[in-house]
């Protein structure tokens, strides 16, 4: 079978992250790591967070469309606390709850954070099913992780009659969550790069609930008709993506990534 160029790009994991642990990668990008090369297009609004008012945010984005905001928060201190060495020193012996990375994630597995980082945090194989992929995101014990969350500067624009709840995660290159929807929120990348795909509530994407985002990108995405193309963008460290209520979205970590979401409920 002949593979299209986009498929070849994604199926070819590139070994190229040779950064020193102190070069800004927080120790998560090591010589043995792999990354995905193709960041894709960015066909949604990308704004300087300091140049948009709360009123403009509410009128243009809060209830109608996603947006990427740069310079919206300053989480320099939080980023330092999320380095690999610091997190392992503080939380290595703590238990974390992993979920299967499919649309209906019911299975949960408890492991130590140290074991997750040492054994399970690895690049995603293209043929692995979502039910076979253990993903660390959310299910944080807020009592145990409170000291870290206290240092996070959450996005300043909160929707009326809502408050924010944090979900923190770390995942390997090629992993991600398949299409799903829930209430509105923000997602910020701390280390690595995370590619997002989004559809409005009335435009349900075609996907298999137990296939990974990586398989969707390699098999379905290259063949989508123009009218079925998603909104998409890759967000980098320090950038924040906002998604409105009930928007379908899927994510793909292009590198070993550290990230945090603020769900508004």
């Amino acid at each position: 079978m002949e593979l299209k160029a986009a498929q070849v790009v994604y199926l070819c994991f590139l070994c190229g992250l040779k950064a020193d642990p102190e070069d800004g990668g927080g120790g998560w990008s090591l010589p043995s790591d792999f990354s995905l090369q193709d960041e894709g297009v960015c066909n949604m609004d990308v704004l300087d967070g300091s140049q948009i008012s709360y009123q403009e945010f509410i009128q243009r984005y809060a209830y109608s469309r996603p947006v990427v905001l740069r310079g919206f928060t300053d989480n320099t201190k939080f980023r330092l606390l999320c380095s690999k060495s610091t997190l392992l020193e503080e939380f290595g012996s703590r238990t974390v709850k992993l979920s299967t990375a499919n649309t209906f994630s019911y299975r949960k597995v408890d492991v130590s954070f140290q074991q997750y980082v040492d054994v399970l945090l690895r690049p995603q194989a293209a043929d692995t099913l979502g039910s076979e992929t253990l993903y660390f995101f959310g299910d944080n014990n807020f009592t145990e992780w409170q000291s870290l969350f206290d240092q996070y500067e959450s996005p300043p624009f909160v929707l009326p009659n809502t408050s924010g709840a944090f979900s923190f995660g770390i995942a390997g290159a090629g992993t991600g969550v398949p299409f799903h929807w829930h209430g509105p929120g923000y997602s910020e990348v701390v280390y690595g790069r995370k590619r997002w795909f989004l559809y409005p509530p009335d435009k349900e994407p075609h996907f298999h609930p137990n296939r990974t985002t990586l398989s969707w990108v390699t098999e379905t995405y290259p063949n989508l008709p123009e009218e079925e193309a998603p909104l998409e963008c890759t967000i980098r460290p320090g950038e924040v993506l906002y998604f409105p209520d009930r928007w379908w979205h899927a994510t793909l970590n292009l590198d070993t990534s550290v990230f945090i979401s603020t769900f508004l409920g």
Side-chain angles (χ1 to χ4, degrees):
M1 180 179 68
E2 182 179 356
L3 295 178
K4 293 190 175 184
Q7 293 174 292
V8 173
V9 168
Y10 269 100
L11 290 173
C12 178
F13 287 95
L14 299 181
C15 194
L17 295 180
K18 300 184 182 299
D20 182 88
E22 303 305 324
D23 72 348
W28 298 105
S29 299
L30 300 176
S32 61
D33 281 348
F34 293 87
S35 65
L36 294 173
Q37 184 183 38
D38 188 5
E39 292 193 353
V41 300
C42 185
N43 57 8
M44 66 177 70
D45 290 352
V46 180
L47 303 176
D48 185 335
S50 65
Q51 296 180 345
I52 181 172
S53 68
Y54 178 70
Q55 183 177 3
E56 290 173 320
F57 170 76
I58 293 294
Q59 291 176 345
R60 295 172 58 188
Y61 300 105
Y63 305 104
S64 58
R65 54 181 168 152
V67 60
V68 176
L69 298 163
R70 293 174 174 162
F72 199 43
T73 59
D74 181 6
N75 277 301
T76 304
K77 182 177 181 180
F78 181 77
R79 193 164 186 259
L80 292 173
L81 293 174
C82 290
S83 71
K84 185 176 181 179
S85 59
T86 300
L87 282 182
L88 286 176
E89 180 178 358
E90 180 70 22
F91 300 103
S93 62
R94 308 287 179 88
T95 298
V96 294
K97 190 177 294 292
L98 311 180
S99 303
T100 46
N102 55 8
T103 299
F104 306 105
S105 296
Y106 298 117
R107 186 164 72 98
K108 305 286 186 178
V109 176
D110 290 339
V111 299
S112 71
F113 181 59
Q114 183 80 55
Q115 182 182 2
Y116 173 70
V117 172
D118 291 345
V119 179
L120 299 173
L121 182 62
R122 59 182 184 269
Q124 173 80 55
D127 59 350
T128 303
L129 295 176
S131 58
E132 300 168 347
T133 304
L134 292 174
Y135 198 73
F136 172 43
F137 176 60
D139 286 314
N140 305 109
N141 183 315
F142 279 86
T143 300
E144 293 184 346
W145 291 81
Q146 191 65 51
S147 61
L148 180 66
F149 292 156
D150 282 345
Q151 303 304 317
Y152 179 65
E153 179 184 322
S154 58
F157 295 165
V158 179
L159 303 187
N161 303 313
T162 69
S163 58
F166 299 141
S167 285
F168 178 75
I170 302 169
T175 64
V177 290
F179 283 105
H180 64 288
W181 60 266
H182 44 67
Y186 295 97
S187 179
E188 179 169 350
V189 169
V190 184
Y191 292 109
R193 298 167 298 153
K194 182 182 286 285
R195 189 174 175 185
W196 280 71
F197 305 91
L198 303 105
Y199 288 94
D202 61 351
K203 194 174 181 180
E204 182 176 353
H206 299 290
F207 67 98
H208 189 289
N210 197 31
R211 299 299 299 276
T212 63
T213 304
L214 181 60
S215 66
W216 181 86
V217 169
T218 59
E219 298 166 12
T220 303
Y221 174 84
N223 301 308
L224 289 175
E226 185 177 351
E227 64 273 14
E228 293 184 21
L231 286 179
E232 61 174 291
C233 199
T234 294
I235 60 173
R236 291 172 165 271
E239 297 179 340
V240 176
L241 181 142
Y242 169 79
F243 53 89
D245 187 28
R246 295 178 180 269
W247 271 65
W248 291 93
H249 56 277
T251 62
L252 180 66
N253 297 295
L254 302 184
D255 313 299
T256 299
S257 300
V258 181
F259 43 90
I260 184 169
S261 290
T262 305
F263 295 115
L264 304 175

